[in-house]
Amino acid sequence: MPNTPEAVVAFLATASIGATWASCASDFGARAVIDRFAQIEPVVLFVAGGYAYGAKNTGHIVNRLQAALWREAYHLVDIGAVSVADLDLAIANGPGLRWALAGPFATQHLSGGGQGIGHILEHLGPPMVQW
């Protein structure tokens, strides 16, 4: 979490119940974040949509990913592949729910079972490239 009042409140809430506070910056990479949190098996996870560090603004990454999703959504509606209502339901009940707690890489890693994200990429990677 970035250095914000909300982060301080989250830390104080954690400390007040005697829980463990741990953090891991997203720029460590998905594997490092997964490994770090696997060690402590968190029960509650606080996340931020972005933060600024030096000259990098990671919130920009979130905006770019969101724009890519919008472009694809507009395209699917434009070609008649899906209605606006059905697309909204698909996002809200699909990745919207899954990604609320874990990003796309962490979700795929967890979906891969004991073999992790490698298993998912082995089986779903080629079809995704073909899309």
Side-chain angles (χ1 to χ4, degrees):
M1 294 190 57
N3 293 326
T4 63
E6 292 83 2
V8 173
V9 169
F11 169 74
L12 292 173
T14 303
S16 74
I17 62 170
T20 301
W21 176 269
S23 65
C24 188
S26 61
D27 55 344
F28 285 3
R31 182 77 246 160
V33 172
I34 291 167
D35 289 346
R36 179 159 186 160
F37 289 129
Q39 294 172 356
I40 61 171
E41 299 177 350
V43 176
V44 176
L45 185 64
F46 296 102
V47 297
Y51 64 94
Y53 179 76
K56 284 183 6 183
N57 182 352
T58 62
H60 179 68
I61 295 167
V62 174
N63 293 340
R64 288 190 61 167
L65 290 170
Q66 192 173 24
L69 181 61
W70 285 336
R71 282 191 301 272
E72 183 64 14
Y74 294 148
H75 174 72
L76 290 172
V77 170
D78 186 50
I79 65 171
V82 67
S83 71
V84 170
D86 286 342
L87 191 133
D88 280 347
L89 283 173
I91 295 299
N93 295 305
L97 287 176
R98 291 190 297 262
W99 294 350
L101 296 176
F105 291 118
T107 299
Q108 286 185 332
H109 181 72
L110 294 170
S111 298
Q115 298 172 2
I117 195 170
H119 178 72
I120 295 296
L121 294 177
E122 180 181 322
H123 293 282
L124 298 179
M128 281 193 243
V129 171
Q130 292 171 1
W131 291 340

